[in-house]
């Protein structure tokens, strides 16, 4: 079983510019899920929405080609794909010749699906969409919709996750709200480098205390965990402490190494959010 410490994170890495699928490093999700009380089937659906901004290869005549890639990794997959290994893998396309963009897309889908579903009894696929340069101008920038919690003037004392800050008015009529914050920050599980993000919480149920929720989100500031793990921790803490009827948690993290990771978790089946970057991304 791969562990984060065995990955290339925090280590000098050789620059490989010829295609090499073995560079991908999957890490099982279950270890971190067990920490937050998820031992069987998770109480959520969703996916990790990746954007690759630095994708390039050579055409049959040796001319460089570029594209953006949107990758969708279902949260039902047994593994996350460690982001530095993903970057190194994408670099391996740089001096490799492919017939066309369709071949690149097919190779990405095959390799990423194998890594994400490695060890699964019934492997499935990830989604891969390539955007050619003539489509770049259609890529929008939009902030997460919702009421911004950052307007609240609160005192903050906790900088590691403090779920006890969460509460909801369980004796009052239920509400439906969408709340956002730009103050989410955590650190890489291995290197401790900062990860900056914005988060959107949509729910129906007892009204969540907004000041407590903001203080709780701020409490991730010195916490070391991967993006996907932080979002699942937020989901489980809100789900357990506030007891909503429905809940969705969506975070958009700023890119590192030409990649951004944007996990989405929801208590009920629904369409995934559009992979639209925020201004900070």
């Amino acid at each position: 079983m791969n562990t984060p410490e065995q990955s290339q994170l925090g280590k000098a890495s050789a620059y490989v510019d010829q295609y090499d699928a073995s560079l991908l490093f999957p890490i099982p999700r279950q270890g971190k899920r067990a920490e937050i009380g998820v031992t069987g089937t998770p109480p959520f659906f969703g996916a990790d929405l990746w954007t690759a901004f630095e994708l390039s290869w050579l055409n049959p005549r040796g001319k460089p080609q570029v594209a953006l890639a949107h990758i969708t990794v279902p949260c039902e997959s047994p593994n996350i794909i460690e982001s530095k290994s993903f970057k190194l893998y994408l670099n391996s396309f740089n001096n490799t010749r492919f017939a066309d963009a369709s071949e690149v897309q097919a190779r990405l889908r095959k390799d990423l699906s194998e890594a994400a579903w490695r060890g699964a009894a019934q492997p499935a696929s990830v989604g891969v969409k390539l955007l050619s340069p003539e489509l770049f101008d259609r890529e929008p920038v939009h902030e997460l919709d919702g009421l911004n919690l950052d307007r609240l003037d609160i005192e903050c004392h906790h900088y590691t996750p403090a779920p006890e800050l969460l509460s909801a008015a369980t004796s009052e009529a239920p509400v439906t709200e969408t709340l956002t914050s730009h103050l989410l920050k955590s650190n890489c599980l291995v290197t401790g480098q900062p990860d900056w993000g914005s988060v959107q919480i949509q729910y129906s149920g007892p009204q969540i205390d907004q000041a407590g929720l903001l203080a709780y989100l701020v409490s991730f500031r010195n916490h070391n965990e991967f993006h996907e793990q932080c979002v699942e921790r937020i989901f489980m803490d809100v789900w357990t402490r506030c007891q909503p009827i429905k809940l969705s948690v969506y975070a958009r993290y700023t890119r590192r190494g030409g990649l951004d990771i944007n996990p989405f978790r929801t208590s009920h089946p629904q369409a995934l959010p559009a992979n639209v970057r925020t201004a900070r991304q």
Side-chain angles (χ1 to χ4, degrees):
M1 182 179 70
N2 289 341
T3 66
E5 293 75 19
Q6 295 170 327
S7 74
Q8 289 298 313
L9 281 169
K11 303 171 186 175
S13 304
Y15 178 78
V16 178
D17 61 1
Q18 293 291 331
Y19 169 73
D20 185 357
S22 70
L23 293 167
L24 290 169
F25 191 85
I27 298 175
R29 297 183 189 268
Q30 189 51 48
K32 277 292 182 178
R33 285 182 174 173
E35 289 184 14
I36 57 174
V38 179
T39 55
T41 302
F44 48 73
F45 306 90
D48 306 321
L49 310 179
W50 295 69
T51 311
F53 292 92
E54 300 174 7
L55 175 60
S56 183
W57 66 94
L58 303 179
N59 73 8
R61 293 172 58 85
K63 181 182 176 182
Q65 309 293 298
V66 297
L68 297 178
H70 290 311
I71 298 105
T72 304
V73 181
C75 74
E76 293 81 11
S77 63
N79 306 309
I80 64 172
I81 300 173
E82 189 278 308
S83 61
K84 183 175 181 180
S85 78
F86 199 161
K87 170 64 175 175
L88 293 172
Y89 164 73
L90 292 177
N91 277 337
S92 78
F93 283 66
N94 290 351
N95 282 339
T96 305
R97 298 188 183 211
F98 293 93
D100 52 28
S102 295
E103 183 183 358
V104 173
Q105 182 182 27
R107 194 68 59 89
L108 288 167
R109 181 180 292 111
K110 176 179 180 295
D111 295 341
L112 295 171
S113 296
E114 190 283 326
W117 293 91
R118 188 176 300 172
Q122 296 180 313
S125 181
V126 307
V128 178
K129 177 183 178 182
L130 297 191
L131 299 175
S132 57
E134 58 268 23
L135 300 177
F136 288 176
D137 197 40
R138 301 183 190 177
E139 285 292 277
V141 175
H142 183 73
E143 297 305 307
L144 295 171
D145 294 323
L147 179 63
N148 190 357
L149 294 171
D150 304 343
R151 76 191 191 284
L152 301 174
D153 184 17
I154 64 169
E155 287 194 20
C156 299
H157 305 284
H158 297 82
Y159 300 106
T160 56
E164 65 272 14
L165 296 171
L166 294 168
S167 65
T170 55
S171 62
E172 299 179 6
V175 301
T176 296
E177 289 188 318
T178 300
L179 306 172
T180 65
S181 174
H182 301 296
L183 303 187
L184 180 62
K185 174 196 170 288
S186 53
N187 301 318
C188 172
L189 178 63
V190 177
T191 66
Q193 294 183 49
D195 295 322
W196 306 93
S198 298
V199 63
Q200 179 190 68
I201 296 174
Q202 297 179 300
Y203 76 96
S204 296
Q207 187 164 37
I208 296 174
D209 177 71
Q210 294 182 9
L213 177 58
L214 179 58
Y216 166 75
L217 295 173
V218 169
S219 76
F220 278 75
R221 194 166 184 84
N222 293 338
H223 182 58
N224 294 350
E225 220 169 27
F226 292 141
H227 301 48
E228 302 93 329
Q229 298 161 352
C230 285
V231 168
E232 292 185 359
R233 185 178 294 275
I234 293 170
F235 180 97
M236 290 302 298
D237 284 346
V238 174
W239 185 250
T240 302
R241 295 270 175 165
C242 300
Q243 301 180 1
I245 302 165
K246 292 183 177 181
L247 174 66
S248 298
V249 179
Y250 181 34
R252 294 203 62 91
Y253 281 89
T254 58
R255 75 181 80 164
R256 182 185 294 168
L259 290 167
D260 65 33
I261 311 171
N262 310 287
F264 174 72
R265 301 293 184 268
T266 177
S267 62
H268 52 289
Q270 60 173 303
L272 295 173
N275 194 354
V276 176
R277 70 184 178 93
T278 64
R280 290 197 296 169
Q281 293 182 295

